[in-house]
Amino acid sequence: MTELYIDADACPVREEAFRVALRLNIATHVVSNGARGIRLPEHPLIHRVIVTEGADVADDWIAERITAADVCVTQDIPLAARCLEKGASAINSKGRPWTNDNIGGALAGRAVAEHLRSTGDRTGGPAAMTQADRSRFLSELDSMLRAAQRPKGAAFRIPPGGF
């Protein structure tokens, strides 16, 4: 059964993710370190997970539990890579899917940016969220969750006698 994992501490699209997941009847795990109060809808499909403080504790919790049938919403590139390694799907808050084709370049770019910051260079931050970003996120998450719900290996078949 497909489940949705949200790396929640810095996620600007939690409400959008809840809307899609509830419409599709998908259990959702909202994982945070509890540093900020995150409001969640009162619904039996939405589960609050508060992990202990520490680097990558929320990421570890998600990576240990996610399966190939699941989807993760995260800005964290290393977490996205860990999800992909397990066969899961991952998407960032601007509606860009993390894939095996783009994750290597994203990890390399992250390493370069970290190096530049360590030398005192400013790398700038992410661009502000736009309405188009939110719309793309809603559409892509819906598509991703629907695809994850389909039985794996199910082939399109023409019924006997045709259509």
mmCIF file of all heavy atoms in Angstrom, residues 51-92:
data_model
loop_
_atom_site.group_PDB
_atom_site.id
_atom_site.type_symbol
_atom_site.label_atom_id
_atom_site.label_comp_id
_atom_site.label_asym_id
_atom_site.label_seq_id
_atom_site.Cartn_x
_atom_site.Cartn_y
_atom_site.Cartn_z
ATOM 1 N N VAL A 51 10.854 13.107 15.817
ATOM 2 C CA VAL A 51 12.098 12.402 16.114
ATOM 3 C C VAL A 51 12.948 13.274 17.030
ATOM 4 O O VAL A 51 12.681 14.464 17.200
ATOM 5 C CB VAL A 51 12.861 12.056 14.817
ATOM 6 C CG1 VAL A 51 12.038 11.114 13.945
ATOM 7 C CG2 VAL A 51 13.236 13.299 14.032
ATOM 8 N N THR A 52 13.975 12.700 17.592
ATOM 9 C CA THR A 52 14.864 13.459 18.466
ATOM 10 C C THR A 52 15.666 14.468 17.653
ATOM 11 O O THR A 52 15.828 14.321 16.436
ATOM 12 C CB THR A 52 15.830 12.522 19.209
ATOM 13 O OG1 THR A 52 16.600 11.794 18.237
ATOM 14 C CG2 THR A 52 15.079 11.552 20.096
ATOM 15 N N GLU A 53 16.162 15.473 18.331
ATOM 16 C CA GLU A 53 17.005 16.484 17.690
ATOM 17 C C GLU A 53 18.274 15.822 17.167
ATOM 18 O O GLU A 53 18.750 14.851 17.743
ATOM 19 C CB GLU A 53 17.383 17.577 18.692
ATOM 20 C CG GLU A 53 16.215 18.363 19.233
ATOM 21 C CD GLU A 53 15.714 19.406 18.261
ATOM 22 O OE1 GLU A 53 16.484 19.883 17.426
ATOM 23 O OE2 GLU A 53 14.521 19.742 18.352
ATOM 24 N N GLY A 54 18.816 16.363 16.120
ATOM 25 C CA GLY A 54 20.087 15.864 15.598
ATOM 26 C C GLY A 54 20.087 15.857 14.090
ATOM 27 O O GLY A 54 19.041 15.764 13.451
ATOM 28 N N ALA A 55 21.289 15.953 13.570
ATOM 29 C CA ALA A 55 21.455 15.975 12.115
ATOM 30 C C ALA A 55 20.958 14.666 11.506
ATOM 31 O O ALA A 55 21.308 13.580 11.973
ATOM 32 C CB ALA A 55 22.925 16.194 11.765
ATOM 33 N N ASP A 56 20.134 14.788 10.514
ATOM 34 C CA ASP A 56 19.660 13.662 9.704
ATOM 35 C C ASP A 56 18.795 12.640 10.444
ATOM 36 O O ASP A 56 18.529 11.567 9.908
ATOM 37 C CB ASP A 56 20.838 12.940 9.039
ATOM 38 C CG ASP A 56 21.626 13.845 8.111
ATOM 39 O OD1 ASP A 56 21.001 14.733 7.485
ATOM 40 O OD2 ASP A 56 22.856 13.693 8.015
ATOM 41 N N VAL A 57 18.322 12.947 11.655
ATOM 42 C CA VAL A 57 17.489 11.980 12.379
ATOM 43 C C VAL A 57 16.158 11.772 11.656
ATOM 44 O O VAL A 57 15.706 10.636 11.489
ATOM 45 C CB VAL A 57 17.281 12.411 13.851
ATOM 46 C CG1 VAL A 57 16.364 11.440 14.578
ATOM 47 C CG2 VAL A 57 18.623 12.498 14.565
ATOM 48 N N ALA A 58 15.529 12.841 11.212
ATOM 49 C CA ALA A 58 14.274 12.711 10.463
ATOM 50 C C ALA A 58 14.523 11.987 9.136
ATOM 51 O O ALA A 58 13.741 11.116 8.741
ATOM 52 C CB ALA A 58 13.649 14.082 10.219
ATOM 53 N N ASP A 59 15.622 12.341 8.480
ATOM 54 C CA ASP A 59 15.959 11.674 7.217
ATOM 55 C C ASP A 59 16.152 10.176 7.435
ATOM 56 O O ASP A 59 15.678 9.356 6.641
ATOM 57 C CB ASP A 59 17.236 12.267 6.621
ATOM 58 C CG ASP A 59 17.104 13.730 6.279
ATOM 59 O OD1 ASP A 59 15.997 14.287 6.394
ATOM 60 O OD2 ASP A 59 18.127 14.341 5.912
ATOM 61 N N ASP A 60 16.866 9.824 8.502
ATOM 62 C CA ASP A 60 17.098 8.407 8.792
ATOM 63 C C ASP A 60 15.782 7.680 9.045
ATOM 64 O O ASP A 60 15.587 6.555 8.573
ATOM 65 C CB ASP A 60 18.017 8.244 10.009
ATOM 66 C CG ASP A 60 19.444 8.706 9.729
ATOM 67 O OD1 ASP A 60 19.826 8.847 8.546
ATOM 68 O OD2 ASP A 60 20.175 8.934 10.711
ATOM 69 N N TRP A 61 14.871 8.321 9.770
ATOM 70 C CA TRP A 61 13.581 7.693 10.074
ATOM 71 C C TRP A 61 12.833 7.381 8.773
ATOM 72 O O TRP A 61 12.298 6.287 8.591
ATOM 73 C CB TRP A 61 12.739 8.600 10.971
ATOM 74 C CG TRP A 61 11.542 7.926 11.548
ATOM 75 C CD1 TRP A 61 11.454 7.317 12.768
ATOM 76 C CD2 TRP A 61 10.246 7.765 10.928
ATOM 77 N NE1 TRP A 61 10.185 6.792 12.939
ATOM 78 C CE2 TRP A 61 9.430 7.051 11.827
ATOM 79 C CE3 TRP A 61 9.709 8.162 9.705
ATOM 80 C CZ2 TRP A 61 8.103 6.726 11.541
ATOM 81 C CZ3 TRP A 61 8.393 7.822 9.424
ATOM 82 C CH2 TRP A 61 7.605 7.120 10.331
ATOM 83 N N ILE A 62 12.818 8.356 7.873
ATOM 84 C CA ILE A 62 12.131 8.158 6.589
ATOM 85 C C ILE A 62 12.830 7.075 5.773
ATOM 86 O O ILE A 62 12.184 6.140 5.280
ATOM 87 C CB ILE A 62 12.050 9.479 5.795
ATOM 88 C CG1 ILE A 62 11.128 10.481 6.521
ATOM 89 C CG2 ILE A 62 11.584 9.227 4.363
ATOM 90 C CD1 ILE A 62 11.181 11.895 5.967
ATOM 91 N N ALA A 63 14.138 7.179 5.625
ATOM 92 C CA ALA A 63 14.890 6.245 4.783
ATOM 93 C C ALA A 63 14.789 4.805 5.280
ATOM 94 O O ALA A 63 14.807 3.863 4.482
ATOM 95 C CB ALA A 63 16.349 6.672 4.692
ATOM 96 N N GLU A 64 14.660 4.613 6.584
ATOM 97 C CA GLU A 64 14.543 3.265 7.133
ATOM 98 C C GLU A 64 13.181 2.648 6.837
ATOM 99 O O GLU A 64 13.046 1.427 6.808
ATOM 100 C CB GLU A 64 14.765 3.298 8.650
ATOM 101 C CG GLU A 64 16.207 3.551 9.029
ATOM 102 C CD GLU A 64 16.379 3.890 10.512
ATOM 103 O OE1 GLU A 64 15.397 3.782 11.286
ATOM 104 O OE2 GLU A 64 17.500 4.286 10.875
ATOM 105 N N ARG A 65 12.149 3.460 6.641
ATOM 106 C CA ARG A 65 10.788 2.938 6.510
ATOM 107 C C ARG A 65 10.210 2.983 5.099
ATOM 108 O O ARG A 65 9.306 2.225 4.770
ATOM 109 C CB ARG A 65 9.864 3.704 7.457
ATOM 110 C CG ARG A 65 10.121 3.317 8.908
ATOM 111 C CD ARG A 65 9.608 4.338 9.886
ATOM 112 N NE ARG A 65 9.866 3.920 11.261
ATOM 113 C CZ ARG A 65 11.023 4.092 11.887
ATOM 114 N NH1 ARG A 65 12.045 4.662 11.269
ATOM 115 N NH2 ARG A 65 11.180 3.689 13.134
ATOM 116 N N ILE A 66 10.707 3.882 4.271
ATOM 117 C CA ILE A 66 10.121 4.047 2.941
ATOM 118 C C ILE A 66 10.348 2.793 2.101
ATOM 119 O O ILE A 66 11.372 2.118 2.243
ATOM 120 C CB ILE A 66 10.669 5.316 2.259
ATOM 121 C CG1 ILE A 66 9.733 5.766 1.141
ATOM 122 C CG2 ILE A 66 12.103 5.125 1.785
ATOM 123 C CD1 ILE A 66 9.941 7.196 0.695
ATOM 124 N N THR A 67 9.362 2.478 1.262
ATOM 125 C CA THR A 67 9.460 1.315 0.379
ATOM 126 C C THR A 67 9.289 1.765 -1.072
ATOM 127 O O THR A 67 8.951 2.925 -1.346
ATOM 128 C CB THR A 67 8.364 0.274 0.700
ATOM 129 O OG1 THR A 67 7.094 0.789 0.270
ATOM 130 C CG2 THR A 67 8.325 -0.068 2.181
ATOM 131 N N ALA A 68 9.460 0.828 -1.969
ATOM 132 C CA ALA A 68 9.328 1.130 -3.398
ATOM 133 C C ALA A 68 7.926 1.586 -3.775
ATOM 134 O O ALA A 68 7.743 2.211 -4.820
ATOM 135 C CB ALA A 68 9.730 -0.087 -4.224
ATOM 136 N N ALA A 69 6.941 1.330 -2.930
ATOM 137 C CA ALA A 69 5.558 1.723 -3.226
ATOM 138 C C ALA A 69 5.245 3.144 -2.753
ATOM 139 O O ALA A 69 4.138 3.622 -2.966
ATOM 140 C CB ALA A 69 4.591 0.752 -2.554
ATOM 141 N N ASP A 70 6.213 3.818 -2.125
ATOM 142 C CA ASP A 70 5.958 5.082 -1.442
ATOM 143 C C ASP A 70 6.530 6.295 -2.168
ATOM 144 O O ASP A 70 7.316 6.164 -3.109
ATOM 145 C CB ASP A 70 6.544 5.025 -0.031
ATOM 146 C CG ASP A 70 5.958 3.891 0.803
ATOM 147 O OD1 ASP A 70 4.772 3.557 0.598
ATOM 148 O OD2 ASP A 70 6.692 3.345 1.643
ATOM 149 N N VAL A 71 6.118 7.483 -1.670
ATOM 150 C CA VAL A 71 6.583 8.768 -2.212
ATOM 151 C C VAL A 71 7.048 9.629 -1.046
ATOM 152 O O VAL A 71 6.431 9.634 0.017
ATOM 153 C CB VAL A 71 5.443 9.485 -2.977
ATOM 154 C CG1 VAL A 71 5.881 10.867 -3.449
ATOM 155 C CG2 VAL A 71 4.967 8.641 -4.158
ATOM 156 N N CYS A 72 8.132 10.372 -1.263
ATOM 157 C CA CYS A 72 8.666 11.285 -0.250
ATOM 158 C C CYS A 72 8.696 12.708 -0.802
ATOM 159 O O CYS A 72 9.139 12.930 -1.933
ATOM 160 C CB CYS A 72 10.076 10.864 0.153
ATOM 161 S SG CYS A 72 10.828 11.921 1.410
ATOM 162 N N VAL A 73 8.235 13.656 0.015
ATOM 163 C CA VAL A 73 8.338 15.082 -0.309
ATOM 164 C C VAL A 73 9.515 15.618 0.491
ATOM 165 O O VAL A 73 9.500 15.596 1.726
ATOM 166 C CB VAL A 73 7.056 15.852 0.076
ATOM 167 C CG1 VAL A 73 7.229 17.347 -0.180
ATOM 168 C CG2 VAL A 73 5.853 15.302 -0.675
ATOM 169 N N THR A 74 10.558 16.066 -0.201
ATOM 170 C CA THR A 74 11.748 16.568 0.484
ATOM 171 C C THR A 74 12.532 17.537 -0.370
ATOM 172 O O THR A 74 12.572 17.415 -1.586
ATOM 173 C CB THR A 74 12.666 15.406 0.940
ATOM 174 O OG1 THR A 74 13.746 15.936 1.720
ATOM 175 C CG2 THR A 74 13.229 14.632 -0.250
ATOM 176 N N GLN A 75 13.153 18.492 0.311
ATOM 177 C CA GLN A 75 14.110 19.394 -0.321
ATOM 178 C C GLN A 75 15.519 18.834 -0.179
ATOM 179 O O GLN A 75 16.450 19.333 -0.794
ATOM 180 C CB GLN A 75 14.059 20.776 0.347
ATOM 181 C CG GLN A 75 12.786 21.532 0.117
ATOM 182 C CD GLN A 75 12.586 21.837 -1.342
ATOM 183 O OE1 GLN A 75 11.750 21.217 -1.993
ATOM 184 N NE2 GLN A 75 13.349 22.758 -1.881
ATOM 185 N N ASP A 76 15.680 17.857 0.693
ATOM 186 C CA ASP A 76 16.983 17.308 1.060
ATOM 187 C C ASP A 76 17.467 16.349 -0.028
ATOM 188 O O ASP A 76 16.897 15.266 -0.202
ATOM 189 C CB ASP A 76 16.856 16.605 2.408
ATOM 190 C CG ASP A 76 18.185 16.162 2.950
ATOM 191 O OD1 ASP A 76 18.676 15.119 2.495
ATOM 192 O OD2 ASP A 76 18.729 16.875 3.823
ATOM 193 N N ILE A 77 18.495 16.737 -0.739
ATOM 194 C CA ILE A 77 18.975 15.943 -1.871
ATOM 195 C C ILE A 77 19.513 14.585 -1.425
ATOM 196 O O ILE A 77 19.173 13.562 -2.034
ATOM 197 C CB ILE A 77 20.012 16.739 -2.703
ATOM 198 C CG1 ILE A 77 19.359 18.003 -3.250
ATOM 199 C CG2 ILE A 77 20.576 15.890 -3.836
ATOM 200 C CD1 ILE A 77 20.335 19.030 -3.814
ATOM 201 N N PRO A 78 20.331 14.504 -0.360
ATOM 202 C CA PRO A 78 20.775 13.174 0.075
ATOM 203 C C PRO A 78 19.617 12.260 0.498
ATOM 204 O O PRO A 78 19.643 11.058 0.221
ATOM 205 C CB PRO A 78 21.712 13.471 1.252
ATOM 206 C CG PRO A 78 22.237 14.845 0.970
ATOM 207 C CD PRO A 78 21.068 15.562 0.354
ATOM 208 N N LEU A 79 18.585 12.807 1.144
ATOM 209 C CA LEU A 79 17.431 11.985 1.493
ATOM 210 C C LEU A 79 16.731 11.510 0.226
ATOM 211 O O LEU A 79 16.339 10.343 0.132
ATOM 212 C CB LEU A 79 16.450 12.743 2.393
ATOM 213 C CG LEU A 79 15.127 12.015 2.677
ATOM 214 C CD1 LEU A 79 15.368 10.646 3.313
ATOM 215 C CD2 LEU A 79 14.226 12.879 3.544
ATOM 216 N N ALA A 80 16.569 12.388 -0.743
ATOM 217 C CA ALA A 80 15.946 11.983 -2.006
ATOM 218 C C ALA A 80 16.733 10.838 -2.639
ATOM 219 O O ALA A 80 16.145 9.867 -3.125
ATOM 220 C CB ALA A 80 15.855 13.169 -2.962
ATOM 221 N N ALA A 81 18.051 10.915 -2.599
ATOM 222 C CA ALA A 81 18.895 9.852 -3.161
ATOM 223 C C ALA A 81 18.670 8.538 -2.416
ATOM 224 O O ALA A 81 18.579 7.471 -3.044
ATOM 225 C CB ALA A 81 20.364 10.257 -3.101
ATOM 226 N N ARG A 82 18.561 8.595 -1.104
ATOM 227 C CA ARG A 82 18.319 7.390 -0.307
ATOM 228 C C ARG A 82 16.957 6.784 -0.650
ATOM 229 O O ARG A 82 16.816 5.558 -0.719
ATOM 230 C CB ARG A 82 18.413 7.707 1.182
ATOM 231 C CG ARG A 82 19.834 8.060 1.605
ATOM 232 C CD ARG A 82 19.888 8.605 3.020
ATOM 233 N NE ARG A 82 19.660 7.558 4.011
ATOM 234 C CZ ARG A 82 19.569 7.802 5.311
ATOM 235 N NH1 ARG A 82 19.671 9.043 5.782
ATOM 236 N NH2 ARG A 82 19.370 6.810 6.145
ATOM 237 N N CYS A 83 15.962 7.619 -0.852
ATOM 238 C CA CYS A 83 14.632 7.132 -1.235
ATOM 239 C C CYS A 83 14.678 6.450 -2.594
ATOM 240 O O CYS A 83 14.115 5.363 -2.785
ATOM 241 C CB CYS A 83 13.624 8.276 -1.235
ATOM 242 S SG CYS A 83 13.274 8.949 0.410
ATOM 243 N N LEU A 84 15.347 7.090 -3.548
ATOM 244 C CA LEU A 84 15.458 6.508 -4.889
ATOM 245 C C LEU A 84 16.187 5.169 -4.851
ATOM 246 O O LEU A 84 15.825 4.238 -5.579
ATOM 247 C CB LEU A 84 16.170 7.478 -5.832
ATOM 248 C CG LEU A 84 15.413 8.762 -6.168
ATOM 249 C CD1 LEU A 84 16.289 9.694 -7.008
ATOM 250 C CD2 LEU A 84 14.105 8.478 -6.872
ATOM 251 N N GLU A 85 17.215 5.067 -4.000
ATOM 252 C CA GLU A 85 17.954 3.802 -3.871
ATOM 253 C C GLU A 85 17.032 2.666 -3.433
ATOM 254 O O GLU A 85 17.261 1.509 -3.790
ATOM 255 C CB GLU A 85 19.091 3.948 -2.861
ATOM 256 C CG GLU A 85 20.273 4.716 -3.380
ATOM 257 C CD GLU A 85 21.310 5.005 -2.299
ATOM 258 O OE1 GLU A 85 21.209 4.444 -1.175
ATOM 259 O OE2 GLU A 85 22.226 5.789 -2.572
ATOM 260 N N LYS A 86 16.005 2.988 -2.662
ATOM 261 C CA LYS A 86 15.061 1.968 -2.201
ATOM 262 C C LYS A 86 13.911 1.754 -3.186
ATOM 263 O O LYS A 86 12.987 1.004 -2.915
ATOM 264 C CB LYS A 86 14.531 2.349 -0.819
ATOM 265 C CG LYS A 86 15.661 2.271 0.231
ATOM 266 C CD LYS A 86 15.165 2.437 1.622
ATOM 267 C CE LYS A 86 14.554 1.146 2.111
ATOM 268 N NZ LYS A 86 14.119 1.254 3.519
ATOM 269 N N GLY A 87 13.959 2.438 -4.321
ATOM 270 C CA GLY A 87 12.937 2.273 -5.342
ATOM 271 C C GLY A 87 11.733 3.174 -5.156
ATOM 272 O O GLY A 87 10.773 3.095 -5.927
ATOM 273 N N ALA A 88 11.749 4.031 -4.138
ATOM 274 C CA ALA A 88 10.647 4.956 -3.882
ATOM 275 C C ALA A 88 10.726 6.137 -4.831
ATOM 276 O O ALA A 88 11.740 6.353 -5.497
ATOM 277 C CB ALA A 88 10.696 5.440 -2.432
ATOM 278 N N SER A 89 9.670 6.924 -4.870
ATOM 279 C CA SER A 89 9.651 8.169 -5.641
ATOM 280 C C SER A 89 9.894 9.329 -4.685
ATOM 281 O O SER A 89 9.585 9.244 -3.497
ATOM 282 C CB SER A 89 8.293 8.350 -6.315
ATOM 283 O OG SER A 89 8.046 7.300 -7.219
ATOM 284 N N ALA A 90 10.427 10.421 -5.213
ATOM 285 C CA ALA A 90 10.677 11.608 -4.394
ATOM 286 C C ALA A 90 10.425 12.850 -5.236
ATOM 287 O O ALA A 90 10.633 12.854 -6.450
ATOM 288 C CB ALA A 90 12.100 11.598 -3.849
ATOM 289 N N ILE A 91 9.985 13.916 -4.560
ATOM 290 C CA ILE A 91 9.638 15.168 -5.228
ATOM 291 C C ILE A 91 10.021 16.318 -4.315
ATOM 292 O O ILE A 91 9.937 16.210 -3.092
ATOM 293 C CB ILE A 91 8.120 15.189 -5.550
ATOM 294 C CG1 ILE A 91 7.728 16.439 -6.340
ATOM 295 C CG2 ILE A 91 7.287 15.033 -4.290
ATOM 296 C CD1 ILE A 91 6.284 16.421 -6.832
ATOM 297 N N ASN A 92 10.462 17.436 -4.916
ATOM 298 C CA ASN A 92 10.752 18.604 -4.082
ATOM 299 C C ASN A 92 9.512 19.496 -4.005
ATOM 300 O O ASN A 92 8.505 19.257 -4.662
ATOM 301 C CB ASN A 92 12.004 19.350 -4.556
ATOM 302 C CG ASN A 92 11.820 20.135 -5.831
ATOM 303 O OD1 ASN A 92 10.715 20.450 -6.283
ATOM 304 N ND2 ASN A 92 12.936 20.489 -6.456
#
